[in-house]
Amino acid sequence: MAPLLGIVGGLGVFLIWWSAWVQPPAETKAAKARRLDLLLMSAGIEKVTGGGLLLTCAGFGVFALLLFFILTGSPPVAMCFALFGSWIPFATVRWRARKRRAALRLLWPDVVDHLRSAIRAGLALPEALIQLGRKGPEELRPLFLDFGADYRSGGHFEAALNRLKQRLADPVADRIIEALRMTREVGGSDLGRMLGTLSEFLRDSARTRSELEARQSWTINAARLAVAAPWIVLVVMASRPEAMLAYNSGVGIMVLLGGLLVSVFCYSVMLRVGALPEDERVLR
């Protein structure tokens, strides 16, 4: 009973600290679920909902709890690794979203160039977007083919453009689509010049960001290894049952709780200090 009370008390202290650190604005459950859905869309995962992601996190946490309890025989140690396991699906989705955004960042200049060439050749804006499904970058062709299917089925450019915007779920795509929408609504003869300027800007931005990410990758990976090293040592110590029994005592639980709090705090600070500013989707 004493170890269980210690774990519950430690989790309570951790949750109090976390609420004081993050301080999110008040929002409804629907808004939180919507945020998870947007994260999944940014990662290119369309068939999983926010609720499904939360269930997956819970499943990984339970699996890690059972696995490490069998390996170590220590409930406090198993609980710590259960928390890490429950974070794995969410961290994987965030990593995939960052990778997809970085890949798209390199593709958007080519997309803009294709649009500029198609419009200069005399194609209407909807046909220029549909043509990207055949001649655009291969990674984006399915999305523009879906746009063409939506446009031909309903004939409404605005509705098809909104669905394309939702599927892309990318801040750069938001700017491009809103620029095209405004040009179609108000007219103008400078669309080609605007697209050319936008293409140059996107290429310069992608080049600069790639250089910064390459330089900071060594620092971030070293910091991650430093945070993970104590827990790797703890897994190695699982081969000695007498070492694991020490963590079932009150002092052992406090040591684990302190290490968990220090790891989470240091990892959060590392992410905040080393993170590059991300583009926000202000035109959703």
Side-chain angles (χ1 to χ4, degrees):
M1 180 61 71
L4 180 61
L5 292 177
I7 293 173
V8 174
L11 287 177
V13 173
F14 169 73
L15 292 175
I16 293 173
W17 172 84
W18 184 260
S19 62
W21 178 264
V22 179
Q23 295 181 347
E27 54 185 359
T28 62
K29 293 183 179 180
K32 292 181 180 179
R34 177 62 177 166
R35 187 166 57 184
L36 288 177
D37 291 336
L38 290 175
L39 177 62
L40 290 166
M41 292 293 292
S42 298
I45 304 173
E46 300 182 5
K47 297 182 179 181
V48 180
T49 63
L53 177 60
L54 293 178
L55 288 176
T56 304
C57 291
F60 268 75
V62 172
F63 175 77
L65 177 66
L66 296 176
L67 176 63
F68 280 94
F69 180 74
I70 293 173
L71 293 176
T72 65
S74 173
V77 174
M79 183 64 69
C80 291
F81 283 97
L83 294 176
F84 296 148
S86 63
W87 183 255
I88 288 176
F90 184 74
T92 302
V93 172
R94 291 184 61 183
W95 172 81
R96 182 167 175 175
R98 287 195 299 268
K99 295 291 288 185
R100 180 175 182 266
R101 188 170 295 179
L104 291 179
R105 194 181 299 123
L106 300 176
L107 297 178
W108 287 126
D110 294 334
V111 171
V112 174
D113 288 340
H114 279 291
L115 282 175
R116 185 184 181 191
S117 299
I119 291 173
R120 281 188 170 182
L123 291 179
L125 186 54
E127 294 299 327
L129 288 171
I130 293 173
Q131 191 183 46
L132 289 172
R134 300 188 300 272
K135 298 182 179 181
E138 293 186 3
E139 293 84 351
L140 295 174
R141 286 182 184 181
L143 297 175
F144 286 103
L145 288 175
D146 291 338
F147 166 80
D150 292 337
Y151 180 69
R152 292 191 179 98
S153 63
H156 297 288
F157 179 73
E158 289 290 331
L161 201 62
N162 289 333
R163 283 191 286 270
L164 174 63
K165 187 176 178 181
Q166 292 176 1
R167 295 189 187 100
L168 289 170
D170 184 79
V172 179
D174 292 345
R175 300 191 191 104
I176 296 174
I177 289 175
E178 292 302 326
L180 296 177
R181 190 198 310 273
M182 183 178 298
T183 302
R184 181 178 173 85
E185 290 178 355
V186 302
S189 58
D190 294 335
L191 179 58
R193 184 182 305 172
M194 183 270 290
L195 291 176
T197 303
L198 180 60
S199 176
E200 295 177 2
F201 170 77
L202 292 177
R203 279 193 170 87
D204 292 339
S205 177
R207 187 184 307 111
T208 302
R209 192 175 186 89
S210 297
E211 293 176 357
L212 293 175
E213 289 177 347
R215 291 181 180 180
Q216 76 165 174
S217 61
W218 289 96
T219 303
I220 292 180
N221 290 333
R224 288 173 176 169
L225 180 60
V227 172
W231 301 100
I232 296 175
V233 173
L234 186 61
V235 172
V236 175
M237 290 173 58
S239 61
R240 301 178 62 87
E242 61 274 13
M244 291 295 100
L245 289 177
Y247 290 104
N248 292 337
S249 63
V251 176
I253 293 174
M254 294 302 296
V255 170
L256 281 176
L257 179 61
L260 180 63
L261 294 178
V262 170
S263 298
V264 173
F265 176 77
C266 293
Y267 189 72
S268 301
V269 171
M270 182 271 295
L271 290 181
R272 291 176 181 269
V273 172
L276 294 175
E278 292 287 345
D279 291 335
E280 298 183 2
R281 298 188 62 198
V282 296
L283 299 172
R284 288 181 295 187

